[in-house]
Amino acid sequence: MAELEEEVDVLVQRVVKDVTNAFKRNPGIDEIGLIPCPEARYNRSPIVLVGNKLGVESWCVKFLLPYVHNKLLLYRQRKQWLDREALVDITCTVLLLNPDFTTAWNVRKELIQCEVLNPEKDLYLGKLALTKYPKSPETWIHRRWVLQRIQKDPSGAAEGNDYSELIQRSVQEEMKVCADAAGRYPSNYNAWSHRIWVLQHMAKGNLKILHDELSSTKLWVSMHVSDHSGFHYRQFLLKALLAELGQVQQPNRGGSADEPHTEVIPQLFHDEIELCTDLIESYPGHETLWCHRRHVFYLWHHWRSCSQEHQQRPLSPDQVHNLLNDSSDPGDKSRISQAMDIDCTVEGGKHGGYTQDSKRLKRGPPRPTLPSERTFVSSILSSCRNAEQVRFANAYRKWLDSVIGQ
């Protein structure tokens, strides 16, 4: 028994050392993976480095993980001493193979707080772990902790432009990490939630980033038409843009009703509805697309209703906040007052039967309206033979009639 423990100890030390040396030889490693290998066939290291890819032969995992887990638990219980360099190397190795080991991440948090470990190295380690385990919740949680620490204490970054550039680079890097993780695991809620967190805490109020995200994710959702998480992210972007554009128009912020921003919001909704139309027609029978269209049209309808109630002045920040944080179900008809037939607003005796507001609304991109949505549904039903598509179209029409059309 003692001999077996000694052999395992030697093996683990060898693996940890080989992993550390692999990162020293190639600091640009961008992906990790397990190599199926039930048993050791040769007297060689189970760590394989080919180009920028790091592989671990699977036979050693059953020895490595229990041993390292026990080592770290004994360390946390103060029953065994490990120096800081050993802690860095051991936790790095175990987290590459099991990134949901919370104790290892907590040890690295302490090392960062003691300024033994560079936070950037932990972001890199988490990025590598996500290439093999893209949904690992503990990795995403630790990543947010590190980013918050960088925001509060950006070591090496000066005040002003340097700090802003550091945050901007961090945001761009996080977007890439999230996109890669979302592509590796379908409906990766953890990755998309992290992406939302980054925008809320590191890019709050940045219209350029919000527009860029809306543009960059268009291709992604077009290639993943059944991934609800990606479309939910676009819904968040629309709400965030509504909030920011609404505040730009506030008088105390130097805005006016004649600024170009007044046409940006209708254009956003027009483009999103057009995207839904193209995808629904190209990929029939995907419920996610119909659900997204329902949420987009409901958001447009709800926002426009509130805007019409405040025609004499832009929505206040509090009103925008209440609108965008309305968590009611689009199917809850108690939240809707009447149909939003903007292009057909008739009021007798005013400018030939049309109100001044409807004339103003006719400028710019076509607005989504209840009649246009009914026409779209009718065209789908008349031309489609896909049973699922017909079912979703009928459900959408029923929702339009029972909720929006009341």
PDB file of all heavy atoms in Angstrom, residues 281-309:
ATOM      1  N   GLU A 281     -38.431  31.995 -42.432  1.00  0.00           N
ATOM      2  CA  GLU A 281     -38.690  31.502 -43.784  1.00  0.00           C
ATOM      3  C   GLU A 281     -37.600  30.526 -44.246  1.00  0.00           C
ATOM      4  O   GLU A 281     -37.886  29.580 -44.985  1.00  0.00           O
ATOM      5  CB  GLU A 281     -38.785  32.684 -44.747  1.00  0.00           C
ATOM      6  CG  GLU A 281     -40.020  33.554 -44.512  1.00  0.00           C
ATOM      7  CD  GLU A 281     -40.057  34.773 -45.408  1.00  0.00           C
ATOM      8  OE1 GLU A 281     -39.004  35.081 -46.037  1.00  0.00           O
ATOM      9  OE2 GLU A 281     -41.109  35.414 -45.486  1.00  0.00           O
ATOM     10  N   SER A 282     -36.373  30.745 -43.792  1.00  0.00           N
ATOM     11  CA  SER A 282     -35.253  29.886 -44.227  1.00  0.00           C
ATOM     12  C   SER A 282     -35.171  28.591 -43.441  1.00  0.00           C
ATOM     13  O   SER A 282     -34.750  27.564 -43.970  1.00  0.00           O
ATOM     14  CB  SER A 282     -33.933  30.645 -44.100  1.00  0.00           C
ATOM     15  OG  SER A 282     -33.942  31.826 -44.879  1.00  0.00           O
ATOM     16  N   TYR A 283     -35.563  28.642 -42.160  1.00  0.00           N
ATOM     17  CA  TYR A 283     -35.471  27.466 -41.277  1.00  0.00           C
ATOM     18  C   TYR A 283     -36.821  27.199 -40.625  1.00  0.00           C
ATOM     19  O   TYR A 283     -37.042  27.555 -39.463  1.00  0.00           O
ATOM     20  CB  TYR A 283     -34.399  27.679 -40.208  1.00  0.00           C
ATOM     21  CG  TYR A 283     -33.043  28.035 -40.758  1.00  0.00           C
ATOM     22  CD1 TYR A 283     -32.618  29.364 -40.818  1.00  0.00           C
ATOM     23  CD2 TYR A 283     -32.184  27.045 -41.219  1.00  0.00           C
ATOM     24  CE1 TYR A 283     -31.377  29.684 -41.325  1.00  0.00           C
ATOM     25  CE2 TYR A 283     -30.940  27.358 -41.734  1.00  0.00           C
ATOM     26  CZ  TYR A 283     -30.540  28.682 -41.792  1.00  0.00           C
ATOM     27  OH  TYR A 283     -29.305  29.009 -42.301  1.00  0.00           O
ATOM     28  N   PRO A 284     -37.750  26.616 -41.366  1.00  0.00           N
ATOM     29  CA  PRO A 284     -39.094  26.384 -40.822  1.00  0.00           C
ATOM     30  C   PRO A 284     -39.088  25.358 -39.688  1.00  0.00           C
ATOM     31  O   PRO A 284     -38.276  24.430 -39.682  1.00  0.00           O
ATOM     32  CB  PRO A 284     -39.882  25.873 -42.030  1.00  0.00           C
ATOM     33  CG  PRO A 284     -38.861  25.312 -42.958  1.00  0.00           C
ATOM     34  CD  PRO A 284     -37.628  26.139 -42.761  1.00  0.00           C
ATOM     35  N   GLY A 285     -39.994  25.567 -38.740  1.00  0.00           N
ATOM     36  CA  GLY A 285     -40.186  24.586 -37.680  1.00  0.00           C
ATOM     37  C   GLY A 285     -39.321  24.764 -36.455  1.00  0.00           C
ATOM     38  O   GLY A 285     -39.184  23.833 -35.668  1.00  0.00           O
ATOM     39  N   HIS A 286     -38.742  25.956 -36.256  1.00  0.00           N
ATOM     40  CA  HIS A 286     -37.912  26.217 -35.072  1.00  0.00           C
ATOM     41  C   HIS A 286     -38.653  27.161 -34.130  1.00  0.00           C
ATOM     42  O   HIS A 286     -38.837  28.345 -34.423  1.00  0.00           O
ATOM     43  CB  HIS A 286     -36.563  26.821 -35.478  1.00  0.00           C
ATOM     44  CG  HIS A 286     -35.650  25.843 -36.152  1.00  0.00           C
ATOM     45  ND1 HIS A 286     -34.790  25.014 -35.457  1.00  0.00           N
ATOM     46  CD2 HIS A 286     -35.493  25.540 -37.461  1.00  0.00           C
ATOM     47  CE1 HIS A 286     -34.118  24.260 -36.301  1.00  0.00           C
ATOM     48  NE2 HIS A 286     -34.525  24.555 -37.534  1.00  0.00           N
ATOM     49  N   GLU A 287     -39.067  26.639 -33.008  1.00  0.00           N
ATOM     50  CA  GLU A 287     -39.876  27.412 -32.062  1.00  0.00           C
ATOM     51  C   GLU A 287     -39.119  28.610 -31.502  1.00  0.00           C
ATOM     52  O   GLU A 287     -39.718  29.646 -31.194  1.00  0.00           O
ATOM     53  CB  GLU A 287     -40.347  26.507 -30.934  1.00  0.00           C
ATOM     54  CG  GLU A 287     -41.340  27.169 -29.990  1.00  0.00           C
ATOM     55  CD  GLU A 287     -41.876  26.217 -28.948  1.00  0.00           C
ATOM     56  OE1 GLU A 287     -41.294  25.120 -28.784  1.00  0.00           O
ATOM     57  OE2 GLU A 287     -42.874  26.552 -28.296  1.00  0.00           O
ATOM     58  N   THR A 288     -37.805  28.483 -31.345  1.00  0.00           N
ATOM     59  CA  THR A 288     -37.004  29.576 -30.798  1.00  0.00           C
ATOM     60  C   THR A 288     -37.179  30.856 -31.602  1.00  0.00           C
ATOM     61  O   THR A 288     -37.257  31.955 -31.035  1.00  0.00           O
ATOM     62  CB  THR A 288     -35.513  29.178 -30.788  1.00  0.00           C
ATOM     63  OG1 THR A 288     -35.344  28.016 -29.973  1.00  0.00           O
ATOM     64  CG2 THR A 288     -34.654  30.299 -30.246  1.00  0.00           C
ATOM     65  N   LEU A 289     -37.254  30.746 -32.922  1.00  0.00           N
ATOM     66  CA  LEU A 289     -37.400  31.924 -33.778  1.00  0.00           C
ATOM     67  C   LEU A 289     -38.734  32.612 -33.548  1.00  0.00           C
ATOM     68  O   LEU A 289     -38.819  33.847 -33.506  1.00  0.00           O
ATOM     69  CB  LEU A 289     -37.255  31.517 -35.245  1.00  0.00           C
ATOM     70  CG  LEU A 289     -35.919  30.856 -35.632  1.00  0.00           C
ATOM     71  CD1 LEU A 289     -35.949  30.403 -37.086  1.00  0.00           C
ATOM     72  CD2 LEU A 289     -34.766  31.819 -35.387  1.00  0.00           C
ATOM     73  N   TRP A 290     -39.791  31.830 -33.383  1.00  0.00           N
ATOM     74  CA  TRP A 290     -41.110  32.406 -33.140  1.00  0.00           C
ATOM     75  C   TRP A 290     -41.173  33.047 -31.756  1.00  0.00           C
ATOM     76  O   TRP A 290     -41.800  34.112 -31.587  1.00  0.00           O
ATOM     77  CB  TRP A 290     -42.183  31.336 -33.286  1.00  0.00           C
ATOM     78  CG  TRP A 290     -42.404  30.901 -34.700  1.00  0.00           C
ATOM     79  CD1 TRP A 290     -41.861  29.816 -35.329  1.00  0.00           C
ATOM     80  CD2 TRP A 290     -43.219  31.554 -35.681  1.00  0.00           C
ATOM     81  NE1 TRP A 290     -42.277  29.748 -36.632  1.00  0.00           N
ATOM     82  CE2 TRP A 290     -43.124  30.799 -36.881  1.00  0.00           C
ATOM     83  CE3 TRP A 290     -44.016  32.692 -35.673  1.00  0.00           C
ATOM     84  CZ2 TRP A 290     -43.787  31.147 -38.044  1.00  0.00           C
ATOM     85  CZ3 TRP A 290     -44.684  33.054 -36.831  1.00  0.00           C
ATOM     86  CH2 TRP A 290     -44.580  32.293 -38.005  1.00  0.00           C
ATOM     87  N   CYS A 291     -40.553  32.426 -30.777  1.00  0.00           N
ATOM     88  CA  CYS A 291     -40.522  33.013 -29.427  1.00  0.00           C
ATOM     89  C   CYS A 291     -39.764  34.342 -29.443  1.00  0.00           C
ATOM     90  O   CYS A 291     -40.185  35.313 -28.789  1.00  0.00           O
ATOM     91  CB  CYS A 291     -39.862  32.049 -28.450  1.00  0.00           C
ATOM     92  SG  CYS A 291     -40.844  30.595 -28.060  1.00  0.00           S
ATOM     93  N   HIS A 292     -38.672  34.393 -30.183  1.00  0.00           N
ATOM     94  CA  HIS A 292     -37.897  35.637 -30.260  1.00  0.00           C
ATOM     95  C   HIS A 292     -38.721  36.724 -30.946  1.00  0.00           C
ATOM     96  O   HIS A 292     -38.732  37.877 -30.485  1.00  0.00           O
ATOM     97  CB  HIS A 292     -36.602  35.384 -31.027  1.00  0.00           C
ATOM     98  CG  HIS A 292     -35.733  36.601 -31.135  1.00  0.00           C
ATOM     99  ND1 HIS A 292     -35.223  37.261 -30.034  1.00  0.00           N
ATOM    100  CD2 HIS A 292     -35.293  37.303 -32.229  1.00  0.00           C
ATOM    101  CE1 HIS A 292     -34.508  38.294 -30.432  1.00  0.00           C
ATOM    102  NE2 HIS A 292     -34.538  38.338 -31.750  1.00  0.00           N
ATOM    103  N   ARG A 293     -39.406  36.373 -32.023  1.00  0.00           N
ATOM    104  CA  ARG A 293     -40.228  37.364 -32.711  1.00  0.00           C
ATOM    105  C   ARG A 293     -41.315  37.904 -31.783  1.00  0.00           C
ATOM    106  O   ARG A 293     -41.607  39.099 -31.764  1.00  0.00           O
ATOM    107  CB  ARG A 293     -40.859  36.734 -33.957  1.00  0.00           C
ATOM    108  CG  ARG A 293     -41.553  37.757 -34.860  1.00  0.00           C
ATOM    109  CD  ARG A 293     -42.237  37.109 -36.050  1.00  0.00           C
ATOM    110  NE  ARG A 293     -42.695  38.116 -36.992  1.00  0.00           N
ATOM    111  CZ  ARG A 293     -42.069  38.464 -38.106  1.00  0.00           C
ATOM    112  NH1 ARG A 293     -40.932  37.856 -38.425  1.00  0.00           N
ATOM    113  NH2 ARG A 293     -42.550  39.398 -38.902  1.00  0.00           N
ATOM    114  N   ARG A 294     -41.891  37.011 -30.995  1.00  0.00           N
ATOM    115  CA  ARG A 294     -42.939  37.431 -30.058  1.00  0.00           C
ATOM    116  C   ARG A 294     -42.390  38.440 -29.048  1.00  0.00           C
ATOM    117  O   ARG A 294     -43.015  39.468 -28.776  1.00  0.00           O
ATOM    118  CB  ARG A 294     -43.510  36.209 -29.337  1.00  0.00           C
ATOM    119  CG  ARG A 294     -44.592  36.541 -28.334  1.00  0.00           C
ATOM    120  CD  ARG A 294     -45.073  35.297 -27.601  1.00  0.00           C
ATOM    121  NE  ARG A 294     -45.618  34.296 -28.507  1.00  0.00           N
ATOM    122  CZ  ARG A 294     -46.222  33.187 -28.113  1.00  0.00           C
ATOM    123  NH1 ARG A 294     -46.347  32.927 -26.813  1.00  0.00           N
ATOM    124  NH2 ARG A 294     -46.702  32.323 -28.985  1.00  0.00           N
ATOM    125  N   HIS A 295     -41.215  38.160 -28.500  1.00  0.00           N
ATOM    126  CA  HIS A 295     -40.634  39.070 -27.508  1.00  0.00           C
ATOM    127  C   HIS A 295     -40.241  40.402 -28.133  1.00  0.00           C
ATOM    128  O   HIS A 295     -40.420  41.462 -27.510  1.00  0.00           O
ATOM    129  CB  HIS A 295     -39.416  38.413 -26.859  1.00  0.00           C
ATOM    130  CG  HIS A 295     -39.757  37.460 -25.768  1.00  0.00           C
ATOM    131  ND1 HIS A 295     -39.967  37.846 -24.461  1.00  0.00           N
ATOM    132  CD2 HIS A 295     -39.951  36.125 -25.779  1.00  0.00           C
ATOM    133  CE1 HIS A 295     -40.258  36.798 -23.719  1.00  0.00           C
ATOM    134  NE2 HIS A 295     -40.260  35.743 -24.494  1.00  0.00           N
ATOM    135  N   VAL A 296     -39.696  40.373 -29.349  1.00  0.00           N
ATOM    136  CA  VAL A 296     -39.292  41.617 -30.009  1.00  0.00           C
ATOM    137  C   VAL A 296     -40.512  42.481 -30.303  1.00  0.00           C
ATOM    138  O   VAL A 296     -40.517  43.689 -30.013  1.00  0.00           O
ATOM    139  CB  VAL A 296     -38.512  41.312 -31.308  1.00  0.00           C
ATOM    140  CG1 VAL A 296     -38.270  42.597 -32.104  1.00  0.00           C
ATOM    141  CG2 VAL A 296     -37.192  40.639 -30.986  1.00  0.00           C
ATOM    142  N   PHE A 297     -41.557  41.875 -30.845  1.00  0.00           N
ATOM    143  CA  PHE A 297     -42.744  42.663 -31.172  1.00  0.00           C
ATOM    144  C   PHE A 297     -43.431  43.170 -29.901  1.00  0.00           C
ATOM    145  O   PHE A 297     -43.935  44.296 -29.864  1.00  0.00           O
ATOM    146  CB  PHE A 297     -43.728  41.827 -32.004  1.00  0.00           C
ATOM    147  CG  PHE A 297     -44.892  42.634 -32.511  1.00  0.00           C
ATOM    148  CD1 PHE A 297     -44.711  43.574 -33.507  1.00  0.00           C
ATOM    149  CD2 PHE A 297     -46.170  42.465 -31.987  1.00  0.00           C
ATOM    150  CE1 PHE A 297     -45.779  44.338 -33.973  1.00  0.00           C
ATOM    151  CE2 PHE A 297     -47.233  43.216 -32.443  1.00  0.00           C
ATOM    152  CZ  PHE A 297     -47.041  44.155 -33.444  1.00  0.00           C
ATOM    153  N   TYR A 298     -43.442  42.350 -28.855  1.00  0.00           N
ATOM    154  CA  TYR A 298     -44.029  42.781 -27.595  1.00  0.00           C
ATOM    155  C   TYR A 298     -43.253  43.957 -27.019  1.00  0.00           C
ATOM    156  O   TYR A 298     -43.843  44.933 -26.539  1.00  0.00           O
ATOM    157  CB  TYR A 298     -44.038  41.626 -26.595  1.00  0.00           C
ATOM    158  CG  TYR A 298     -44.469  42.031 -25.211  1.00  0.00           C
ATOM    159  CD1 TYR A 298     -45.817  42.215 -24.895  1.00  0.00           C
ATOM    160  CD2 TYR A 298     -43.530  42.232 -24.198  1.00  0.00           C
ATOM    161  CE1 TYR A 298     -46.208  42.593 -23.629  1.00  0.00           C
ATOM    162  CE2 TYR A 298     -43.921  42.610 -22.930  1.00  0.00           C
ATOM    163  CZ  TYR A 298     -45.259  42.786 -22.642  1.00  0.00           C
ATOM    164  OH  TYR A 298     -45.640  43.160 -21.381  1.00  0.00           O
ATOM    165  N   LEU A 299     -41.924  43.913 -27.077  1.00  0.00           N
ATOM    166  CA  LEU A 299     -41.101  45.002 -26.557  1.00  0.00           C
ATOM    167  C   LEU A 299     -41.344  46.280 -27.351  1.00  0.00           C
ATOM    168  O   LEU A 299     -41.476  47.368 -26.771  1.00  0.00           O
ATOM    169  CB  LEU A 299     -39.620  44.604 -26.627  1.00  0.00           C
ATOM    170  CG  LEU A 299     -38.620  45.621 -26.073  1.00  0.00           C
ATOM    171  CD1 LEU A 299     -38.877  45.889 -24.602  1.00  0.00           C
ATOM    172  CD2 LEU A 299     -37.185  45.114 -26.276  1.00  0.00           C
ATOM    173  N   TRP A 300     -41.410  46.159 -28.676  1.00  0.00           N
ATOM    174  CA  TRP A 300     -41.693  47.322 -29.515  1.00  0.00           C
ATOM    175  C   TRP A 300     -43.070  47.884 -29.195  1.00  0.00           C
ATOM    176  O   TRP A 300     -43.235  49.092 -29.009  1.00  0.00           O
ATOM    177  CB  TRP A 300     -41.616  46.933 -30.987  1.00  0.00           C
ATOM    178  CG  TRP A 300     -42.322  47.904 -31.900  1.00  0.00           C
ATOM    179  CD1 TRP A 300     -43.521  47.737 -32.514  1.00  0.00           C
ATOM    180  CD2 TRP A 300     -41.859  49.199 -32.291  1.00  0.00           C
ATOM    181  NE1 TRP A 300     -43.847  48.844 -33.274  1.00  0.00           N
ATOM    182  CE2 TRP A 300     -42.840  49.762 -33.149  1.00  0.00           C
ATOM    183  CE3 TRP A 300     -40.709  49.940 -32.005  1.00  0.00           C
ATOM    184  CZ2 TRP A 300     -42.699  51.023 -33.706  1.00  0.00           C
ATOM    185  CZ3 TRP A 300     -40.573  51.202 -32.568  1.00  0.00           C
ATOM    186  CH2 TRP A 300     -41.559  51.728 -33.405  1.00  0.00           C
ATOM    187  N   HIS A 301     -44.049  47.020 -29.108  1.00  0.00           N
ATOM    188  CA  HIS A 301     -45.419  47.452 -28.824  1.00  0.00           C
ATOM    189  C   HIS A 301     -45.497  48.140 -27.462  1.00  0.00           C
ATOM    190  O   HIS A 301     -46.096  49.217 -27.324  1.00  0.00           O
ATOM    191  CB  HIS A 301     -46.343  46.232 -28.845  1.00  0.00           C
ATOM    192  CG  HIS A 301     -47.711  46.490 -28.314  1.00  0.00           C
ATOM    193  ND1 HIS A 301     -48.686  47.121 -29.045  1.00  0.00           N
ATOM    194  CD2 HIS A 301     -48.266  46.212 -27.105  1.00  0.00           C
ATOM    195  CE1 HIS A 301     -49.787  47.220 -28.321  1.00  0.00           C
ATOM    196  NE2 HIS A 301     -49.572  46.673 -27.132  1.00  0.00           N
ATOM    197  N   HIS A 302     -44.889  47.558 -26.466  1.00  0.00           N
ATOM    198  CA  HIS A 302     -44.943  48.099 -25.113  1.00  0.00           C
ATOM    199  C   HIS A 302     -44.209  49.432 -25.042  1.00  0.00           C
ATOM    200  O   HIS A 302     -44.689  50.396 -24.423  1.00  0.00           O
ATOM    201  CB  HIS A 302     -44.317  47.091 -24.146  1.00  0.00           C
ATOM    202  CG  HIS A 302     -44.669  47.334 -22.722  1.00  0.00           C
ATOM    203  ND1 HIS A 302     -45.830  46.892 -22.150  1.00  0.00           N
ATOM    204  CD2 HIS A 302     -43.997  47.987 -21.732  1.00  0.00           C
ATOM    205  CE1 HIS A 302     -45.877  47.251 -20.880  1.00  0.00           C
ATOM    206  NE2 HIS A 302     -44.764  47.913 -20.600  1.00  0.00           N
ATOM    207  N   TRP A 303     -43.017  49.500 -25.667  1.00  0.00           N
ATOM    208  CA  TRP A 303     -42.260  50.747 -25.652  1.00  0.00           C
ATOM    209  C   TRP A 303     -43.005  51.854 -26.395  1.00  0.00           C
ATOM    210  O   TRP A 303     -43.051  52.993 -25.942  1.00  0.00           O
ATOM    211  CB  TRP A 303     -40.890  50.513 -26.297  1.00  0.00           C
ATOM    212  CG  TRP A 303     -40.053  51.758 -26.361  1.00  0.00           C
ATOM    213  CD1 TRP A 303     -39.278  52.288 -25.386  1.00  0.00           C
ATOM    214  CD2 TRP A 303     -39.939  52.648 -27.481  1.00  0.00           C
ATOM    215  NE1 TRP A 303     -38.675  53.440 -25.811  1.00  0.00           N
ATOM    216  CE2 TRP A 303     -39.069  53.693 -27.086  1.00  0.00           C
ATOM    217  CE3 TRP A 303     -40.484  52.664 -28.768  1.00  0.00           C
ATOM    218  CZ2 TRP A 303     -38.730  54.732 -27.952  1.00  0.00           C
ATOM    219  CZ3 TRP A 303     -40.150  53.696 -29.624  1.00  0.00           C
ATOM    220  CH2 TRP A 303     -39.277  54.723 -29.214  1.00  0.00           C
ATOM    221  N   ARG A 304     -43.611  51.517 -27.524  1.00  0.00           N
ATOM    222  CA  ARG A 304     -44.311  52.533 -28.309  1.00  0.00           C
ATOM    223  C   ARG A 304     -45.550  53.023 -27.575  1.00  0.00           C
ATOM    224  O   ARG A 304     -45.888  54.204 -27.639  1.00  0.00           O
ATOM    225  CB  ARG A 304     -44.687  51.937 -29.680  1.00  0.00           C
ATOM    226  CG  ARG A 304     -45.042  52.972 -30.716  1.00  0.00           C
ATOM    227  CD  ARG A 304     -43.874  53.917 -30.937  1.00  0.00           C
ATOM    228  NE  ARG A 304     -44.320  55.145 -31.579  1.00  0.00           N
ATOM    229  CZ  ARG A 304     -43.728  56.319 -31.441  1.00  0.00           C
ATOM    230  NH1 ARG A 304     -42.671  56.417 -30.669  1.00  0.00           N
ATOM    231  NH2 ARG A 304     -44.179  57.382 -32.053  1.00  0.00           N
ATOM    232  N   SER A 305     -46.218  52.136 -26.867  1.00  0.00           N
ATOM    233  CA  SER A 305     -47.394  52.529 -26.086  1.00  0.00           C
ATOM    234  C   SER A 305     -46.997  53.549 -25.027  1.00  0.00           C
ATOM    235  O   SER A 305     -47.674  54.572 -24.847  1.00  0.00           O
ATOM    236  CB  SER A 305     -48.025  51.304 -25.410  1.00  0.00           C
ATOM    237  OG  SER A 305     -48.523  50.401 -26.352  1.00  0.00           O
ATOM    238  N   CYS A 306     -45.906  53.276 -24.334  1.00  0.00           N
ATOM    239  CA  CYS A 306     -45.436  54.209 -23.308  1.00  0.00           C
ATOM    240  C   CYS A 306     -44.993  55.525 -23.938  1.00  0.00           C
ATOM    241  O   CYS A 306     -45.207  56.606 -23.370  1.00  0.00           O
ATOM    242  CB  CYS A 306     -44.287  53.597 -22.523  1.00  0.00           C
ATOM    243  SG  CYS A 306     -44.757  52.171 -21.518  1.00  0.00           S
ATOM    244  N   SER A 307     -44.384  55.471 -25.110  1.00  0.00           N
ATOM    245  CA  SER A 307     -43.930  56.689 -25.780  1.00  0.00           C
ATOM    246  C   SER A 307     -45.113  57.558 -26.184  1.00  0.00           C
ATOM    247  O   SER A 307     -45.072  58.787 -26.077  1.00  0.00           O
ATOM    248  CB  SER A 307     -43.106  56.340 -27.015  1.00  0.00           C
ATOM    249  OG  SER A 307     -41.945  55.636 -26.653  1.00  0.00           O
ATOM    250  N   GLN A 308     -46.185  56.952 -26.670  1.00  0.00           N
ATOM    251  CA  GLN A 308     -47.354  57.718 -27.078  1.00  0.00           C
ATOM    252  C   GLN A 308     -48.044  58.379 -25.897  1.00  0.00           C
ATOM    253  O   GLN A 308     -48.648  59.426 -26.033  1.00  0.00           O
ATOM    254  CB  GLN A 308     -48.341  56.806 -27.812  1.00  0.00           C
ATOM    255  CG  GLN A 308     -47.908  56.467 -29.234  1.00  0.00           C
ATOM    256  CD  GLN A 308     -49.014  55.802 -30.022  1.00  0.00           C
ATOM    257  OE1 GLN A 308     -49.771  55.011 -29.478  1.00  0.00           O
ATOM    258  NE2 GLN A 308     -49.092  56.124 -31.293  1.00  0.00           N
ATOM    259  N   GLU A 309     -47.927  57.757 -24.733  1.00  0.00           N
ATOM    260  CA  GLU A 309     -48.524  58.353 -23.546  1.00  0.00           C
ATOM    261  C   GLU A 309     -47.750  59.582 -23.086  1.00  0.00           C
ATOM    262  O   GLU A 309     -48.241  60.374 -22.290  1.00  0.00           O
ATOM    263  CB  GLU A 309     -48.571  57.325 -22.410  1.00  0.00           C
ATOM    264  CG  GLU A 309     -49.538  56.181 -22.673  1.00  0.00           C
ATOM    265  CD  GLU A 309     -49.477  55.135 -21.584  1.00  0.00           C
ATOM    266  OE1 GLU A 309     -48.728  55.365 -20.605  1.00  0.00           O
ATOM    267  OE2 GLU A 309     -50.164  54.112 -21.700  1.00  0.00           O
TER     268      GLU A 309
END
